[in-house]
Amino acid sequence: MSFEPKIVAFCCNWCSYAAADLAGTARMQYPHNVRIVRVMCSGMVHPEFIMDALSQGADGVMVLG
Amino acid sequence: MLGTKKVGSVMIVGGGVTGMQAALDLADSGYYVYLVEKSGAIGGAMAQLDKTFPTNDCSM
Amino acid sequence: MTLSEVVGVDGIAGDFNVTVKESPRYVDVDKCIACGACTEKCPKKVDSEYDAATGKRKAIYVKYAQAVPLKYQIDPNSCIRLKKPGACGFCETVCDAGAINFNDTEKMHQINVGAIVLAPGFEAYDPTEAGVWGFGTNPNVITALQLERYLSASGPTEGHLIRPSDGKPARKVAFLQCVGSRDENLCGNGYCSSVCCMYAIKEAVIAKDHVPGLQTTIFYMDMRTHGKEFDLYLERAKNDSGVRFVRCRVNGVETDGVGGDCRLSYVNEDGRQLEEFYDLVVLSVGLQTPKHVLELAKTADIKLTAANFAATSDFAPVQTSREGIFTCGAIAGPKDIPQSVVEGSAAAAAVSDLLAPARHELTSEPSFPTEKDITGEEPRIGVFVCHCGSNIAGVVDVKSVEDYAATLPDVVYVERNLFSCSQDTQDMITKRIQEQNLNRIVIAACTPRTHEPLFRETLKAAGLNEYLVEMANIRNHDSWVHVQDPKGATAKAKDLVRMAVAKVTYGDSLRPISVPITQKCLVIGGGVAGMTSALNLAEQGFEVDLVEQTDTLGGNALHLKHTWSGEHVPTQVAKLVDKVMRNEKILLHKEARVSAVEGFVGNFRSTVTTKDGKTKVVEHGAGIIATGGEPFTPTEYNYDSITRVVTSVQFDKLFELKEQHVKSARRFVFIQCVGSREGDNMYCSKVCCTHSVQSAIALKKENPERNVYILYRDMRTYGQRESLYKQARKLGVVFINYELHGKPKVSEAGNMVAVEVWDHVLHRPLKIECDLVILATAVRPKVDASDLGKLYKVPVDGHGFFQEAHAKLRPVDFSTDGMFVAGLAHYPKPIEESVAQALAASSRAATLLSKTSVSLDAIKATVDENYCDGCALCVDVCPYHAISLVDRPEGNGKIIRVNKAQCKGCGLCQGTCPKRGVFVAGFTMQQISAQVQAALAV
């Protein structure tokens, strides 16, 4: 079986989360490997979350804001 | 001549940035607002512009 | 009310009856879920109005992707079915929601209102008929609005700049200014549209960003970048972006050969006839009043100016000729976004003044059942999976998501709905919450950004705390973006549901914070702006404290004689002062200043200190800064040593008093931009061009034999002021353009003053011997502006003017809640703009003051006393100054305190804290960790 990475993305409610919504409205297609966690601002993302994600098996973490 | 009757509602004709600002302010200060827009959606000319600062959508 | 037009206005101010005609949409907005299936199937394509005909839309369409309401509509002029009954009808077949209604009809509504605000906007000038620019015949000649769409990522070329004729990338672009403006021959619009210079520069800069190496040239007559920060933008465009500026009027555009090149011919400043070739020519089209607005004006029975804009007074810029009907935005003259937004608020203030007695009469607060206390209860989670018609169910196997959800810990109830957002499903969810005794809810559907408020209401209706709901976005983030991968999408949907369940498990009941409001306003500054604000708020019924530094009300307007439209300033200011003095709700503090401030929105406490040292503490819910500006004292042109060199304000006095040496003088030279638009003062003072032109007209009218010269850099008689410029030229005033590197030289020549300047028409230096030199001096900010700013934690910009929260959309708000700005304190501006801004500030303040308390979202930073050790790292990172360091009540060290009224819930503190001492309610460390863990489980 081919490698299927798991990516965790922290998205700011006001910009990148909204952008991901719009990508849906526009029916833009992308791989299903990303899991979005909504935050109220990318500044809210504690370094611990990134460490946690990586140690629990995430192949990549994105912080978008 | 000003009538004695005062109705607590306002009609705003035009749903561009200007009309929306007037509508929001009035609704926030205790008046019932009718926002009348000629086209199928509010937003007006500003929504057509590519780059104005942050956002083109409105939060009605 | 969309697709609606006003067709009749009866009655009087306070009690109008308006007839509104609503055209059929042919789509039921209550049923339409904006899935877009109809548009996909619709076979009919027409030019998109939104894309200014650069792109196409279908006959059933939504105006644009972010439209509000996000509901589709059928254009009856292009729909096949509506034109021919029985034909087509594909949209009806594919609409799962059953929203299509071909039998929809026009409706008439009678609406009773107290006031009417007209904000119908403008239309862009259509250059087709004028012919000379080749618009409509050469596809490579486009309007600036079309270029906006080409540059937009959501536009027809997704932001790629191409030549429409052959799709080749554009390398050379020319912008032609004043198309449909300042031109009575071709279009009949003599006025200046005020916004085109700025938008052309912006488009040129952005186009260069899009296409590396792109050459852009702007052909203009005068660069009118008179707004705040605009001149800095112009300088950056010239120096950093390399946009080329050529001062001339281009005669026309011709198509050259078969390649689609555009040939421009023009006469440059040296008088030479030149030709240049471009891939693309952009016409900077002006603004004009559309026909339907002229009809509206007729229906509303309001007066218009000669240029077809609504007629208003400079001291009442949003009041039309008919009482109770107000205007704002471009209907009352061409203007930019910030000024339009200002006028929107200003119109609201004027309406409030009229209708204050009826405030709150027609609005009501909804009521909800008492909220259930869930403390100590084990989680009982209900999961509702939405099909969204076929939007989700067409890709995701919703049945297997439902089955999976039921296996998750603490999930006690699962159900699927066709449309979770429909009213009957809402009622059903309310019933299930009560029946099943659910205490936490997950909605697996669309985005919380649009639908969370709806489901919060549903929880409230069921007696559950509104924050106990979490949404799993299995539509926008899943089914819509993984159409080709149903298996992957279904697996992702399960993950998203698991994440939402994990997060909501740790959810708590949260209470919105309620902050009481002192329903009083403090206005600082007793000039026209300050007095206008104070008076409007007082007439709306609020108490106002007005603080004036000097012993006289009136401010800078005391030095002015006439507004641009000719209204007598002293009479109007006297009226205003009189009204302020008589108003019982206004408490005036003369010779006073604010010396100390504490508190925050709704609850400020300002200390007002008078000249004799007496202090008084004023409590107020909102504050308006209208401290004005100062006239600049020139340091050049031998102002100090030659008595015949005076400032424009000094000249006004001499002229009014009919001083002998002015009365008998024959030659006058005005020098513009003294102290403006150079060095550290790279801003336009906005009022001086019009002021000098008016003075020149007065001099010429008094004695046509006089010689009057105006030496200028760019003549900025924007908007309908252009008529003054035209009048001055007609009267024989001589306008001579100079550049910054060739400033005029002023010297004494016996009894006269000699002015030397380079003449661009004659190409040689010109020496004018004159009786009087008048310097059009800059408007400066108050020197102590930043001191006052520090007290209220509001910033000043690089020039020392107060900085608003957002240049476009929040032009009178400060980033500090509850504080507002108006008048020259914000930026130099003429009286009618100061008055509009003052009214706008009042309106914004009134949105706060009309309530006894303000309810804020519960998503706020919260201190965990067990972990916070007072390290204060979070204090500095908080962008809203909401966190302070205080002594622990027990006396053992420090702890932070969050002011919830100032906190916006961004969580920078949470991201910074190394000890878990502060968290954001609703987004706690525990909740997000649980979500991350759930995302990676399995």
Side-chain angles (χ1 to χ4, degrees):
Chain A
M1 207 174 123
S2 65
F3 172 56
E4 283 289 351
K6 275 209 164 182
I7 316 283
V8 175
F10 294 96
C11 288
C12 165
N13 181 55
W14 311 105
C15 56
S16 44
Y17 192 91
D21 281 350
L22 270 179
T25 315
R27 309 295 199 274
M28 290 179 181
Q29 301 297 306
Y30 56 85
H32 63 79
N33 308 59
V34 64
R35 301 288 177 268
I36 291 175
V37 177
R38 184 170 73 117
V39 289
M40 295 311 277
C41 168
S42 53
M44 181 185 264
V45 179
H46 198 283
E48 221 171 87
F49 296 149
I50 300 168
M51 300 303 291
D52 277 359
L54 292 172
S55 67
Q56 285 166 23
D59 297 292
V61 176
M62 295 197 284
V63 181
L64 304 162
Chain B
M1 185 56 209
L2 200 65
T4 43
K5 188 176 163 197
K6 297 269 174 85
V7 181
S9 60
V10 187
M11 177 170 296
I12 314 231
V13 186
V17 272
T18 314
M20 287 192 285
Q21 183 64 50
L24 285 170
D25 275 11
L26 283 164
D28 282 345
S29 13
Y31 301 97
Y32 193 89
V33 176
Y34 299 91
L35 182 59
V36 177
E37 162 64 35
K38 193 170 167 291
S39 81
I42 57 174
M46 189 174 170
Q48 277 178 289
L49 303 184
D50 168 36
K51 294 263 165 24
T52 57
F53 304 120
T55 167
N56 272 354
D57 54 26
C58 82
S59 50
M60 293 292 281
Chain C
M1 307 172 72
T2 51
L3 297 169
S4 299
E5 280 177 273
V6 169
V7 292
V9 177
D10 292 317
I12 52 168
D15 188 13
F16 287 108
N17 271 309
V18 186
T19 313
V20 174
K21 182 180 90 182
E22 187 185 359
S23 301
R25 183 183 272 271
Y26 306 105
V27 174
D28 185 338
V29 289
D30 294 328
K31 290 183 184 161
C32 173
I33 51 145
C35 66
C38 51
T39 292
E40 215 178 295
K41 282 283 177 293
C42 177
K44 181 78 180 175
K45 266 188 183 177
V46 289
D47 282 346
S48 154
E49 297 86 357
Y50 173 71
D51 274 335
T54 58
K56 297 279 181 194
R57 66 160 169 83
K58 298 288 187 69
I60 183 162
Y61 69 109
V62 63
K63 206 169 140 196
Y64 55 102
Q66 302 91 336
V68 175
L70 193 57
K71 302 291 175 189
Y72 282 68
Q73 67 187 81
I74 298 178
D75 168 12
N77 296 319
S78 52
C79 173
I80 298 168
R81 167 63 168 260
L82 287 171
K83 289 183 139 177
K84 191 177 166 199
C88 192
F90 285 138
C91 49
E92 193 177 21
T93 327
V94 296
C95 182
D96 286 334
I100 311 288
N101 173 14
F102 291 118
N103 301 319
D104 201 0
T105 51
E106 181 180 293
K107 295 176 194 77
M108 292 299 239
H109 305 275
Q110 289 291 332
I111 297 171
N112 185 213
V113 293
I116 300 169
V117 176
L118 304 178
F122 61 90
E123 68 180 3
Y125 167 70
D126 179 355
T128 317
E129 270 176 38
V132 298
W133 295 291
F135 183 80
T137 51
N138 184 338
N140 294 338
V141 178
I142 61 173
T143 69
L145 193 58
Q146 291 179 316
L147 180 62
E148 287 278 356
R149 299 311 307 148
Y150 280 122
L151 290 176
S152 170
S154 68
T157 58
E158 295 176 347
H160 296 289
L161 191 57
I162 49 132
R163 299 200 329 176
S165 67
D166 52 13
K168 279 191 193 153
R171 313 298 308 168
K172 270 184 93 181
V173 181
F175 290 82
L176 308 190
Q177 298 306 107
C178 299
V179 173
S181 309
R182 299 181 69 187
D183 182 351
E184 287 181 354
N185 299 327
L186 282 175
C187 65
N189 295 341
Y191 55 85
C192 158
S193 291
S194 303
V195 298
C196 334
C197 283
M198 202 52 204
Y199 76 57
I201 302 173
K202 178 198 74 176
E203 289 181 6
V205 168
I206 290 171
K208 282 179 87 81
D209 283 351
H210 280 234
V211 185
L214 182 76
Q215 293 180 41
T216 53
T217 306
I218 299 181
F219 295 93
Y220 71 101
M221 298 199 287
D222 292 283
M223 240 324 121
R224 291 188 172 169
T225 49
H226 44 263
K228 190 171 183 169
E229 308 272 320
F230 290 5
D231 267 319
L232 279 170
Y233 197 92
L234 169 63
E235 292 303 310
R236 282 201 303 271
K238 265 189 217 167
N239 304 327
D240 303 346
S241 306
V243 177
R244 177 173 163 242
F245 290 83
V246 178
R247 188 191 293 272
C248 75
R249 184 140 204 167
V250 173
N251 305 324
V253 181
E254 285 167 61
T255 311
D256 190 75
V258 286
D261 280 0
C262 305
R263 182 172 65 217
L264 304 187
S265 50
Y266 66 95
V267 179
N268 77 353
E269 282 191 281
D270 298 328
R272 292 190 18 213
Q273 176 81 35
L274 294 175
E275 255 187 15
E276 286 181 21
F277 295 89
Y278 289 89
D279 294 321
L280 202 59
V281 170
V282 180
L283 305 177
S284 294
V285 286
L287 277 45
Q288 63 188 19
T289 305
K291 207 177 249 164
H292 72 88
V293 175
L294 295 178
E295 276 159 27
L296 175 66
K298 215 168 168 187
T299 308
D301 192 20
I302 59 162
K303 288 202 176 84
L304 299 177
T305 67
N308 273 341
F309 294 107
T312 56
S313 151
D314 292 327
F315 284 84
V318 293
Q319 169 69 57
T320 68
S321 57
R322 182 166 174 190
E323 205 169 356
I325 301 187
F326 305 90
T327 62
C328 48
I331 184 180
K335 52 183 64 83
D336 60 6
I337 294 170
Q339 189 60 24
S340 298
V341 174
V342 160
E343 287 191 0
S345 283
V351 169
S352 275
D353 181 346
L354 175 71
L355 300 181
R359 196 197 294 276
H360 297 307
E361 268 182 18
L362 294 176
T363 53
S364 59
E365 297 286 323
S367 61
F368 292 101
T370 329
E371 192 182 298
K372 192 175 111 182
D373 183 10
I374 62 151
T375 335
E377 278 184 23
E378 284 297 309
R380 288 181 60 80
I381 303 174
V383 179
F384 296 85
V385 182
C386 180
H387 286 213
C388 197
S390 60
N391 279 288
I392 295 171
V395 177
V396 171
D397 179 354
V398 279
K399 173 80 178 67
S400 88
V401 174
E402 180 190 30
D403 294 345
Y404 175 74
T407 65
L408 292 168
D410 299 322
V411 173
V412 295
Y413 184 81
V414 189
E415 188 176 303
R416 276 179 291 140
N417 319 114
L418 188 57
F419 292 108
S420 295
C421 57
S422 66
Q423 191 50 52
D424 52 328
T425 313
Q426 300 293 298
D427 297 340
M428 197 275 306
I429 295 176
T430 309
K431 215 171 99 193
R432 293 285 185 265
I433 291 173
Q434 289 161 341
E435 266 174 22
Q436 303 286 331
N437 202 18
L438 304 175
N439 59 19
R440 282 169 183 81
I441 304 297
V442 167
I443 310 280
C446 53
T447 171
R449 284 179 48 82
T450 55
H451 280 73
E452 198 174 59
L454 178 75
F455 292 108
R456 282 189 179 175
E457 295 297 302
T458 314
L459 265 70
K460 267 159 95 173
L464 202 55
N465 183 280
E466 57 180 309
Y467 289 93
L468 294 169
V469 64
E470 190 64 32
M471 291 186 73
N473 193 342
I474 61 169
R475 188 184 75 176
N476 299 47
H477 292 185
D478 193 13
S479 67
W480 274 356
V481 291
H482 310 309
V483 177
Q484 306 302 330
D485 184 6
K487 233 172 134 187
T490 304
K492 185 172 176 178
K494 290 178 184 172
D495 283 5
L496 292 174
V497 170
R498 187 171 65 239
M499 288 163 69
V501 167
K503 186 179 177 197
V504 85
T505 307
Y506 295 103
D508 269 327
S509 295
L510 304 176
R511 308 258 166 279
I513 291 123
S514 176
V515 182
I517 287 177
T518 311
Q519 290 174 299
K520 276 174 71 174
C521 192
L522 176 73
V523 178
I524 308 169
V528 167
M531 285 193 290
T532 304
S533 285
L535 195 62
N536 177 269
L537 283 168
E539 286 181 353
Q540 287 197 44
F542 302 110
E543 283 178 43
V544 180
D545 283 85
L546 178 60
V547 179
E548 166 58 35
Q549 202 175 334
T550 68
D551 62 353
T552 331
L553 289 172
N556 284 303
L558 294 172
H559 305 299
L560 301 176
K561 288 289 155 262
H562 295 283
T563 65
W564 78 268
S565 64
E567 286 181 62
H568 192 239
V569 177
T571 316
Q572 294 288 352
V573 171
K575 268 194 210 164
L576 196 54
V577 171
D578 188 52
K579 279 188 194 164
V580 168
M581 299 296 282
R582 281 160 183 261
N583 197 304
E584 286 173 359
K585 295 217 174 250
I586 300 177
L587 179 61
L588 182 60
H589 308 262
K590 274 188 186 174
E591 298 185 289
R593 48 174 66 233
V594 174
S595 56
V597 179
E598 52 184 270
F600 49 88
V601 56
N603 303 276
F604 291 104
R605 287 165 55 86
S606 300
T607 307
V608 176
T609 308
T610 46
K611 207 171 83 179
D612 49 18
K614 281 190 196 146
T615 64
K616 192 179 170 204
V617 174
V618 177
E619 292 192 0
H620 56 107
I624 296 173
I625 294 182
T627 44
E630 280 169 11
F632 169 63
T633 310
T635 50
E636 54 188 338
Y637 301 119
N638 287 316
Y639 172 74
D640 291 337
S641 55
I642 310 176
T643 49
R644 284 170 178 266
V645 178
V646 298
T647 66
S648 40
V649 169
Q650 289 168 330
F651 168 77
D652 284 352
K653 287 238 162 67
L654 297 173
F655 184 73
E656 201 199 2
L657 297 171
K658 304 200 185 301
E659 274 286 323
Q660 197 47 44
H661 72 278
V662 174
K663 203 155 170 49
S664 60
R666 303 299 293 250
R667 283 166 169 258
F668 299 83
V669 173
F670 290 84
I671 302 177
Q672 298 304 112
C673 293
V674 179
S676 302
R677 299 184 64 197
E678 59 175 317
D680 290 339
N681 300 302
M682 193 53 79
Y683 66 87
C684 170
S685 293
K686 213 172 182 182
V687 295
C688 352
C689 280
T690 307
H691 192 150
S692 294
V693 169
Q694 270 184 303
S695 300
I697 291 173
L699 284 169
K700 273 293 209 183
K701 275 192 175 162
E702 199 177 69
N703 181 358
E705 301 295 303
R706 281 170 172 155
N707 293 313
V708 182
Y709 302 87
I710 296 184
L711 314 186
Y712 71 99
R713 288 173 58 196
D714 288 287
M715 223 355 125
R716 292 183 169 175
T717 44
Y718 60 95
Q720 296 177 83
R721 287 166 174 75
E722 184 71 8
S723 62
L724 292 172
Y725 184 26
K726 194 183 165 202
Q727 188 189 359
R729 290 197 311 260
K730 230 176 175 173
L731 289 168
V733 176
V734 179
F735 289 86
I736 301 172
N737 174 241
Y738 76 89
E739 298 291 328
L740 190 55
H741 54 77
K743 277 189 176 182
K745 291 190 179 63
V746 178
S747 57
E748 213 153 11
N751 264 347
M752 308 285 275
V753 192
V755 180
E756 264 186 86
V757 66
W758 180 265
D759 189 305
H760 283 282
V761 180
L762 303 172
H763 306 293
R764 61 180 174 84
L766 183 73
K767 196 166 184 175
I768 310 164
E769 293 215 337
C770 62
D771 301 287
L772 205 62
V773 170
I774 301 124
L775 305 180
T777 46
V779 178
R780 286 278 184 268
K782 287 272 189 200
V783 280
D784 53 2
S786 68
D787 296 337
L788 182 65
K790 274 178 202 145
L791 290 177
Y792 286 102
K793 294 179 187 140
V794 297
V796 294
D797 66 12
H799 298 126
F801 294 106
F802 282 99
Q803 182 73 57
E804 65 275 30
H806 188 288
K808 295 257 183 290
L809 298 176
R810 295 177 66 199
V812 299
D813 297 31
F814 278 117
S815 52
T816 303
D817 284 348
M819 291 301 298
F820 307 93
V821 64
L824 299 185
H826 161 264
Y827 188 73
K829 55 177 69 69
I831 282 183
E832 82 273 21
E833 289 173 27
S834 276
V835 172
Q837 218 181 5
L839 290 173
S842 300
S843 170
R844 303 294 302 139
T847 60
L848 279 170
L849 301 178
S850 59
K851 303 177 184 84
T852 49
S853 69
V854 60
S855 177
L856 306 170
D857 194 68
I859 309 291
K860 300 281 178 196
T862 313
V863 188
D864 189 329
E865 286 174 27
N866 299 322
Y867 292 110
C868 175
D869 67 355
C871 76
L873 276 175
C874 55
V875 176
D876 293 335
V877 298
C878 176
Y880 305 102
H881 309 289
I883 307 180
S884 52
L885 193 64
V886 295
D887 289 321
R888 272 182 183 266
E890 317 88 78
N892 52 347
K894 303 268 187 186
I895 190 167
I896 56 156
R897 188 160 66 196
V898 178
N899 184 326
K900 304 231 167 173
Q902 278 162 294
C903 174
K904 307 260 189 216
C906 73
L908 253 65
C909 48
Q910 173 171 318
T912 307
C913 181
K915 292 127 194 163
R916 299 200 171 203
V918 60
F919 61 88
V920 175
F923 287 86
T924 63
M925 295 289 282
Q926 201 179 21
Q927 282 174 301
I928 300 177
S929 286
Q931 232 179 327
V932 172
Q933 204 174 355
L936 298 164
V938 184

